[in-house]
Amino acid sequence: MEDDTVVRLPRTGGSVEDDPLLEVLRSGARRMLQQAIEAEVEGFLSAHAELEDGRGRRRVVRNGHAPEREIQTGIGPIEVRRPKVRDRGDGEGGERIRFTSKVLPPFLRRTRNVEELLPWLYLKGVSTGQFEEALTALLGPDAPGLSASTVRRLVATWQQEYERWQRRDLSNRRYVYVWADGVYFTPRLDHDRQCILVLIGADEDGRKELLAIEDGYRESTQSWREVLLRLRDENGLATAPEIAVGDGALGFWKALHQVWPTTRQQRCWVHKTANVLNTLPKSVQGKAKKDLHAIYEAENRADAEAALDRFVDKYGAKYDKAATCLTKDRTVLLAFYDFPAEHWKHLRSGNPIESTFATVRLRTDKTKGCLSRETALAMVFKLARSAETSWRRLNGATRLGQLIAGVRFRDGEAVTNPEEQAAA
């Protein structure tokens, strides 16, 4: 092979900026980004092609390019020029037509993955003075805007964003399901372990949203009550959810009964399974776990009740604590059978919260140094909001409209007979 066909990679310890392969990637990304923006502009112009100004000319036309700017990305800085669009109608027939790129917003200076990396690094234990060093490998040695003072301003901005988000208006929203949990962290706090109270809701379109994330005193009734009252009285969330999903923490359920007494309860099967297995010797945990799965995977409530009774008969004589742990929550463990079958997988556990915060907890458990509770809360809020964009929509979202309309369900199917509907 000839020398001029060989791509020579940098030696170990060399700068990423010296990597020709990385430069190829940046060059390709630059072209793709520019092409995407140009295509976006062409689509915008085509959508307004029929409009004319007072002199019979096309009203919406191109108008050169904005000055070139750098976007900080995960593979280093990328230069790009944003096309400009002009409305020659001077506001004729209404407001002036403006073009705003969704691919490249006007004030974007770094990509979302870099924005998300900053709170990760902060929680990981990197101090503000070490951000430039930590990000050099990704963004290059001359990455602008990442000094210690800039990072501190970002943290302050996230805290302000969290405060505005807490005050948002929810009076026109309806959340059919909610998931609740208290998530414990041990980040770089200046005092004891922190408990974050988290509430996620599914709206009438089946989209999951972060409803509340607040600093609480463990999982006390008073802490949860304050969260729910703020959502109801300050944010305007007056309509109670149909059902709430959570573990056996008594604080949340007592507060729920006080604030939204009509909301039904569904205990998380993941937590309940772990609690039951903890009362059994390891030699029988494998079989017991399968028997527990058989309960909540049953096709209807009657089969689930029968499977639960079989579990009690099988293990109750020797392991009465396991049987008691399971039977004391029989009703609230099987509440999901009164809701659409498409939603069972979503209602049987608090997975929306557990899966989101498992990684956050893993990161924060390994931090060193010192964080205030306010800063830690802002960091966790920022990470949770980033994760929110990838949450799955509920299966069978159209069924939610039936629930809102008052239709009752039995074993996952809508009850149509008026007498059965009243009984349900």
Side-chain angles (χ1 to χ4, degrees), residues 103-175:
V103 177
L104 187 67
F107 303 105
L108 181 70
R109 288 295 180 268
R110 52 179 69 91
T111 57
R112 181 178 298 175
N113 65 325
V114 176
E115 289 284 0
E116 294 175 5
L117 182 62
L118 297 178
W120 278 123
L121 289 176
Y122 204 110
L123 285 173
K124 186 66 177 175
V126 178
S127 65
T128 54
Q130 296 173 309
F131 264 69
E132 287 182 284
E133 178 182 351
L135 293 172
T136 294
L138 286 176
L139 307 180
D142 300 321
L146 293 173
S147 65
S149 59
T150 300
V151 173
R152 282 193 291 269
R153 286 196 297 270
L154 277 174
V155 173
T157 300
W158 294 331
Q159 290 174 327
Q160 295 171 3
E161 180 183 344
Y162 169 69
E163 292 172 0
R164 289 194 302 271
W165 178 81
Q166 275 194 309
R167 297 191 298 268
R168 71 199 187 283
D169 182 18
L170 298 175
S171 58
N172 294 323
R173 304 300 305 277
R174 172 70 189 273
Y175 296 93

Side-chain angles (χ1 to χ4, degrees), residues 242 400-409 415 421:
E242 294 292 327
L400 294 171
Q402 293 178 285
L403 279 173
I404 294 174
V407 175
R408 296 303 175 191
F409 287 76
V415 178
Q421 174 76 8

Side-chain angles (χ1 to χ4, degrees), residues 202-222:
D203 66 13
E204 53 192 343
D205 295 321
R207 297 184 180 89
K208 297 173 186 172
E209 295 181 14
L210 189 65
L211 282 182
I213 177 167
E214 296 191 16
D215 188 7
Y217 178 72
R218 299 188 179 275
E219 294 183 68
S220 67
T221 300
Q222 180 61 27

Side-chain angles (χ1 to χ4, degrees), residues 261-296:
T262 60
T263 300
R264 297 188 60 181
Q265 301 180 19
Q266 169 63 50
R267 294 296 167 84
C268 172
W269 269 100
V270 174
H271 284 90
K272 178 57 70 174
T273 299
N275 293 338
V276 172
L277 294 181
N278 284 339
T279 66
L280 297 170
K282 290 185 178 180
S283 59
V284 300
Q285 286 185 2
K287 293 181 179 179
K289 188 175 183 179
K290 292 181 180 179
D291 293 335
L292 289 171
H293 287 180
I295 299 174
Y296 63 79

Side-chain angles (χ1 to χ4, degrees), residues 8-9 123 127 178 183 185 307 321 326 376 414:
R8 301 185 182 278
L9 298 178
L123 285 173
S127 65
V178 294
V183 186
F185 295 102
K321 290 184 178 180
L326 182 63

Side-chain angles (χ1 to χ4, degrees), residues 390-404:
S390 61
W391 287 346
R392 283 186 55 200
R393 188 180 179 185
L394 292 182
N395 296 337
T398 55
R399 293 279 205 167
L400 294 171
Q402 293 178 285
L403 279 173
I404 294 174

